[in-house]
Amino acid sequence: MAFLSAVARAQLWHKLTDTILHASLSAIRDLEDAGVFVPQVGVNFAQSDLEDPQLITRILWALDQFDLQPDRLSVEVLKNVVVQDAASPVRNSVNTLAKLGCHIDLDDFGTAQNPFNSLRQLNIDRMEIDHSFILNIDSEPKKQDMFAGVVLLAQRLNLDTIAEGIETDAELRLVQKLGCGHAQGFGIGRPMPLDQLLNWARQYQQSPHPHASPAKLA
């Protein structure tokens, strides 16, 4: 958090986002060239990113640089992003990216002050269910009911789901049983350098496993 605060004070947020975006797209291009296909990569975008009138151009330029189609990028809308009204630049950016073919994820669902406003205003493809719903879910029936309710809401809205912060096989089996479409967390794979990720991905693709999310590189 101290690092991000320093970046914001130095007005370098867009530069940081561009660096992460290019590194992420470069990584899935390198993985694909090595024979491992990653359907999409998720990159977090904050309020200031989504309000930038040049964001669409920046993203399209980066995709073109690595010869990737928009559907290879998941735009992850952070939980503190506010969509004020129909004329909001955030709404325009997100919905334009959705029309271009990017996937749109609502990050940390269940922790924002008004996530339903984002669901109503933005063309969301997937809800990322916050880790607070997952922790000890295998031993707390009430959490299981809450999680199942969120999955049902997503299904009624024709949205995919991903469980964040999976740490154990028991959690992974349970969220899959409750109908969650994807999962991510240390129980599936920890952050690692690209060369290690390549080896991990090859082993992962060759072994039987529940449905986990594509690599999240940012």
Side-chain angles (χ1 to χ4, degrees):
M1 293 299 295
F3 169 74
L4 294 179
S5 297
V7 169
R9 288 196 301 271
Q11 299 183 345
L12 294 174
W13 197 273
H14 291 171
K15 185 173 181 61
L16 174 63
T17 298
D18 286 345
T19 299
I20 294 172
L21 176 63
H22 282 71
S24 301
L25 297 179
S26 176
I28 62 169
R29 168 53 66 202
D30 289 345
L31 288 168
E32 186 169 340
D33 290 345
V36 175
F37 179 75
V38 176
Q40 63 203 61
V41 61
V43 176
N44 294 332
F45 289 86
Q47 184 90 24
S48 61
D49 293 314
L50 297 172
E51 290 178 343
D52 178 21
Q54 298 301 317
L55 178 65
I56 310 299
T57 300
R58 289 160 52 201
I59 289 177
L60 290 178
W61 184 85
L63 288 166
D64 183 66
Q65 182 180 4
F66 295 101
D67 192 26
L68 295 169
Q69 295 300 310
D71 64 357
R72 303 295 295 279
L73 174 65
S74 284
V75 174
E76 301 197 6
V77 180
L78 294 178
K79 63 182 180 182
N80 55 358
V81 169
V82 177
V83 186
Q84 294 179 338
D85 52 45
S88 166
V90 170
R91 185 174 187 267
N92 179 67
S93 293
V94 171
N95 292 345
T96 298
L97 288 168
K99 289 179 182 179
L100 290 171
C102 294
H103 298 272
I104 310 296
D105 285 10
L106 184 59
D107 198 27
D108 296 334
F109 182 85
T111 60
Q113 289 186 348
N114 189 4
F116 298 103
N117 188 47
S118 294
L119 288 175
R120 182 174 61 86
Q121 300 252 26
L122 305 178
N123 291 333
I124 303 295
D125 294 304
R126 183 168 64 176
M127 291 164 47
E128 298 192 8
I129 304 174
D130 187 71
H131 178 229
S132 59
F133 286 86
I134 313 301
L135 185 65
N136 300 323
I137 191 174
D138 52 319
S139 60
E140 296 187 23
K142 182 167 287 189
K143 276 197 172 182
Q144 296 173 26
D145 292 340
M146 293 171 61
F147 185 88
V150 173
V151 171
L152 179 60
L153 170 64
Q155 291 172 346
R156 292 295 297 268
L157 295 173
N158 295 316
L159 301 179
D160 201 353
T161 48
I162 178 170
E164 297 182 319
I166 295 294
E167 296 185 357
T168 67
D169 289 340
E171 291 173 348
L172 183 56
R173 288 193 297 268
L174 185 52
V175 299
Q176 184 186 34
K177 181 180 179 181
L178 293 174
C180 191
H182 300 268
Q184 68 183 35
F186 287 176
I188 299 169
R190 290 179 173 270
M192 62 190 78
L194 183 59
D195 57 342
Q196 294 180 24
L197 177 61
L198 176 59
N199 293 330
W200 176 90
R202 285 171 172 164
Q203 295 173 6
Y204 188 77
Q205 290 183 343
Q206 294 170 1
S207 63
H209 52 77
H211 196 191
S213 70
K216 183 175 180 180
L217 302 178

